[in-house]
Amino acid sequence: MPESPRLDFCTFGMFILDEIFYRPPRLPDINVMGGAGLYAALGARLFRPSHSASKVGWIIHRGLDFTNEMEQQVESWKTDCNFIDTPERQTTRGLNVYETDGRREQGRDPTIAELSNSSRLEQSFVWEPVPDLCIPSELEKTKEALKWIDVMSPNLEEFATLLDDTFDLDNIFDREKLRKQCEMLLSVDQNQKCRTIVVRLGEQGCYIAQPAKEKYLPAYYIGGQAQEHVMDATGSGNAFLGGFCVGLLDHSGCIEDAVAYGTVAASFALEQVGVPELTCAEIGSDELWNGESVKVRMKKYQERIAYL
């Protein structure tokens, strides 16, 4: 029996059909393909064009309401997607409600991404904690988890509530306070595996913390660009993590380069409701997502952050 191809990326996140409700007068969007698994796979797939797309692995539990159009879109990515049919029930559904302050109330699943390097036997684990368990009573269990993972990546709201702290998405984050909080978690156990915390700050970008080192990188769309290009941020954090994992692999564990991958991946995820449109460019040229090459967008971002 031939050996199965080695994966560069695998996510155990769920596939969900989302119902997204916005602030009036914008009408809701129903039956939108989503979930942590879909968007994490998207983030990785952006950096694995068609000839290597099968190195991205993920799972869909396909219910009776999973349409032919959805299947065709998933299969067009040419990833290693494992369909598990559950015809006796509907596909898992999620509810996303955007409040007047822009915050989102939702039901969602954890993302644990496994990054595999074909030249080694080791795997790296990047963990997005379950939002509902980012509460002070779960802090000790979170510290225990740090012994087994390589990178922890909550968003700012999740990180703050885990530490019983407050946050303000409308103002610039407190970098010094964030540094001290990350230092506390990174120094829990001298032998713990986790040596990196990446806090996702939404439109403000991303904060990286490592022992004796920290760095801030901006989002791809900032200021007026964000108002022009950001259509729906649902799933962009998961897409960030998918791109981030592939960046770790492509750049031998360099966190800054991985964050750049994640930032660019997230920028494609938030330009529309659902996933971006993949179009095949001419033979010998790059794939296009929403009409733009991932390589071109990455080059633009790298030029912008080169002197940070």
Side-chain angles (χ1 to χ4, degrees):
M1 179 180 294
E3 184 178 350
S4 298
R6 183 98 178 178
L7 294 176
D8 284 347
F9 171 85
C10 179
T11 177
F12 307 114
M14 294 174 64
F15 176 90
I16 290 175
L17 293 181
D18 278 327
E19 298 181 1
I20 308 174
F21 290 83
Y22 310 95
R23 288 169 287 180
R26 183 175 174 180
L27 297 176
D29 288 295
I30 309 297
N31 292 330
V32 179
M33 290 201 305
L38 172 78
Y39 281 103
L42 167 67
R45 172 61 179 84
L46 286 164
F47 295 96
R48 288 294 179 265
S50 57
H51 66 273
S52 56
S54 61
K55 291 181 177 292
V56 175
W58 55 304
I59 301 169
I60 291 180
H61 286 82
R62 179 168 51 182
L64 56 87
D65 51 350
F66 190 89
T67 66
N68 291 333
E69 290 76 15
M70 293 175 185
E71 181 175 355
Q72 290 170 5
Q73 186 165 20
V74 169
E75 291 185 342
S76 72
W77 292 2
K78 300 180 182 179
T79 56
D80 186 359
C81 181
N82 183 13
F83 287 99
I84 300 175
D85 288 319
T86 54
E88 72 282 359
R89 68 173 182 85
Q90 290 188 328
T91 306
T92 302
R93 290 182 172 269
L95 176 66
N96 295 270
V97 180
Y98 285 90
E99 305 293 348
T100 55
D101 59 1
R103 291 177 57 191
R104 180 173 50 149
E105 298 294 333
Q106 62 180 140
R108 119 180 144 173
D109 56 290
T111 297
I112 301 179
E114 177 186 11
L115 172 71
S116 302
N117 187 329
S118 58
S119 64
R120 299 178 298 165
L121 293 179
E122 298 90 352
Q123 290 84 38
S124 296
F125 289 89
V126 178
W127 179 44
E128 179 191 26
V130 182
D132 291 346
L133 296 181
C134 288
I135 52 179
S137 61
E138 294 292 320
L139 180 58
E140 292 306 312
K141 293 180 181 178
T142 299
K143 292 178 180 178
E144 182 67 21
L146 297 180
K147 297 178 182 179
W148 306 100
I149 63 170
D150 295 277
V151 180
M152 174 181 174
S153 183
N155 64 32
L156 180 59
E157 179 180 355
E158 293 159 354
F159 192 69
T161 54
L162 175 66
L163 298 176
D164 198 19
D165 199 356
T166 58
F167 64 95
D168 186 350
L169 296 178
D170 295 325
N171 294 312
I172 298 176
F173 71 100
D174 188 331
R175 183 166 177 169
E176 179 62 19
K177 182 168 71 171
L178 201 53
R179 181 188 65 80
K180 291 179 179 179
Q181 291 170 332
C182 289
E183 280 185 354
M184 180 273 293
L185 287 178
L186 290 173
S187 61
V188 168
D189 186 336
Q190 198 169 24
N191 297 316
Q192 73 186 35
K193 192 178 181 185
C194 182
R195 286 287 179 263
T196 303
I197 298 176
V198 178
V199 183
R200 291 169 284 117
L201 307 171
E203 64 183 23
Q204 295 189 58
C206 181
Y207 177 79
I208 306 166
Q210 295 176 296
K213 182 180 179 181
E214 54 106 39
K215 189 166 186 176
Y216 164 78
L217 290 176
Y220 186 81
Y221 290 125
I222 57 177
Q225 286 184 322
Q227 294 180 352
E228 179 182 354
H229 292 282
V230 176
M231 179 71 175
D232 179 20
T234 305
S236 57
N238 304 121
F240 174 97
L241 292 174
F244 175 88
C245 287
V246 174
L248 277 181
L249 179 58
D250 287 354
H251 294 276
S252 303
C254 177
I255 297 298
E256 289 85 352
D257 287 332
V259 166
Y261 269 54
T263 300
V264 170
S267 74
F268 281 99
L270 49 69
E271 292 178 333
Q272 67 289 305
V273 176
V275 296
E277 180 183 3
L278 169 62
T279 55
C280 295
E282 297 179 2
I283 296 176
S285 58
D286 296 336
E287 288 181 339
L288 300 179
W289 294 81
N290 288 348
E292 186 170 358
S293 162
V294 175
K295 290 181 181 179
V296 170
R297 188 170 293 190
M298 172 60 74
K299 183 179 180 181
K300 292 177 182 178
Y301 185 70
Q302 288 174 327
E303 290 174 349
R304 190 193 312 165
I305 66 174
Y307 301 102
L308 295 179

